[in-house]
Amino acid sequence: MKYSLIFPGQGSQSLGMLSELAEHFPIVKETFSEASDVLGFDLWQLTQEDQDGLNQTQNTQPAMLAAGYATYQVLNGEMDLSPVCMAGHSLGEYTALVAAGALRFSDGVELVRQRAELMQSAVPAGVGAMAAILGLDDETVVKVCADYSGEGVVEAVNFNSLGQVVIAGNKEAVNSTCEAMKVAGAKRAVTLPVSVPSHCSLMNDAATVFANTVENVVFKTTEIDVLYNVDAAKASNVGELRAKLVAQLHKPVLWTGTVQAMADRGVEKLIESGPGKILTGLTRRIDKSLSANAVLDSVSVAATLKEIK
């Protein structure tokens, strides 16, 4: 069976995540311990005991990287994995790079922490917002955003599946556009509980600074292709890899296109490595010919390995 590994991003975190998996596989806590050494605090304890701390962007991003990579290591420790390719949603792209061998885990932890701090400082708390628009096609969501005539920025930023697009920008602009989306026929317009308006032009300044950060990180080319959010395609060299990571900060996430690109490569199953089932659910809405497994505990590990062996 041809399969790909996919890694979730911010929003899939939950208090106590991977606790059951850690009871069966020591590599989980070992991975978090390595991340803790980089960060200077106990990341595992935070994910298990501190909900508010976990939901702070500068903690969420390294926590999700560690969780996704720990889950991947569990799978790879049980079976020599040979995916067709890898990808991650937003932050999950960094987990894919670590799993593919393009980025050292410790470097990845430091990089995503810096990324999170830049994103948080780019827009003051309470100024930005994101909202999920359900039940409208991509073109209509883009047009309604373009038609907004008030003050501030509002843009379509996450093309997650057919009929599910996330918009982001200034809070008042997003709220006004949500009402316009309903008038245009949206089934729902749901404000998301986030403090940072990711992947929109409000992140332009952060992306400029981040470009310098990325230049100082060592990346390698790998045998396993990673498909990137900004264009649903692989990078041909390290320079292009860096450029795509920087662009991802202020450009839309083309997740629908990424999943379709995997299907075009002959992939039959997507394996979501890390806490939550968000990407597994999106997969079924994007392409019903694809199956998907969410791997987040010992039972799902065993079931997934049985299917792909």
Side-chain angles (χ1 to χ4, degrees):
M1 172 180 285
K2 292 185 176 182
Y3 59 90
S4 290
L5 290 164
I6 55 175
F7 299 90
Q10 206 163 337
S12 289
Q13 74 274 9
S14 61
L15 192 67
M17 62 186 186
L18 302 192
S19 58
E20 192 272 350
L21 196 65
E23 293 176 4
H24 294 85
F25 300 97
I27 191 65
V28 174
K29 286 189 178 179
E30 290 170 11
T31 302
F32 274 83
S33 179
E34 185 178 348
S36 298
D37 289 343
V38 174
L39 297 168
F41 64 87
D42 191 333
L43 184 63
W44 178 256
Q45 183 178 14
L46 181 141
T47 65
Q48 304 302 301
E49 300 177 7
D50 185 356
Q51 181 76 69
D52 290 339
L54 176 59
N55 286 339
Q56 292 176 15
T57 298
Q58 70 271 20
N59 297 329
T60 310
Q61 296 201 20
M64 284 301 298
L65 173 64
Y69 184 51
T71 306
Y72 165 78
Q73 291 194 97
V74 168
L75 287 169
N76 202 44
E78 295 295 299
M79 171 186 168
D80 187 14
L81 295 173
S82 55
V84 172
C85 56
M86 297 186 184
H89 189 283
S90 189
L91 170 71
E93 190 160 278
Y94 292 82
T95 319
L97 288 170
V98 172
L103 174 65
R104 287 178 56 205
F105 176 60
S106 57
D107 289 342
V109 171
E110 180 61 35
L111 183 59
V112 300
R113 175 169 65 174
Q114 292 182 38
R115 176 181 183 267
E117 290 172 349
L118 285 171
M119 292 171 71
Q120 189 66 72
S121 62
V123 180
V127 173
M130 299 180 77
I133 309 302
L134 308 178
L136 284 180
D137 60 79
D138 296 355
E139 293 76 13
T140 301
V141 174
V142 171
K143 184 179 186 305
V144 173
C145 287
D147 288 345
Y148 174 71
S149 58
E151 293 185 6
V153 168
V154 60
E155 299 163 3
V157 297
N158 289 0
F159 295 90
N160 286 334
S161 69
L162 303 178
Q164 185 186 130
V165 179
V166 174
I167 63 174
N170 295 102
K171 188 173 183 178
E172 290 184 6
V174 169
N175 290 340
S176 296
T177 303
C178 281
E179 294 306 311
M181 293 290 180
K182 293 174 185 176
V183 173
K187 293 179 181 178
R188 295 177 68 196
V190 183
T191 302
L192 303 178
V194 297
S195 59
V196 176
S198 304
H199 308 297
C200 74
S201 58
L202 294 177
M203 293 290 121
N204 285 350
D205 290 345
T208 300
V209 178
F210 190 59
N212 295 324
T213 303
V214 168
E215 280 299 321
N216 294 318
V217 177
V218 176
F219 293 95
K220 299 177 182 178
T221 56
T222 62
E223 292 183 4
I224 300 173
D225 288 341
V226 174
L227 304 185
Y228 292 83
N229 289 183
V230 295
D231 57 5
K234 67 178 183 178
S236 57
N237 54 57
V238 169
E240 188 178 350
L241 184 164
R242 289 192 172 102
K244 290 187 179 191
L245 290 181
V246 173
Q248 191 229 63
L249 208 58
H250 64 110
K251 296 290 186 181
V253 171
L254 306 182
W255 190 250
T256 302
T258 299
V259 172
Q260 290 170 335
M262 293 182 198
D264 291 342
R265 286 170 170 242
V267 170
E268 302 163 89
K269 176 182 285 296
L270 302 188
I271 300 171
E272 182 175 4
S273 176
K277 302 178 180 180
I278 290 175
L279 301 184
T280 297
L282 293 177
T283 300
R284 298 188 180 107
R285 289 198 285 273
I286 294 169
D287 190 333
K288 289 183 171 56
S289 72
L290 293 172
S291 63
N293 284 28
V295 178
L296 38 74
D297 55 25
S298 59
V299 173
S300 53
V301 166
T304 298
L305 293 173
K306 184 178 180 180
E307 287 187 32
I308 65 175
K309 277 184 177 178

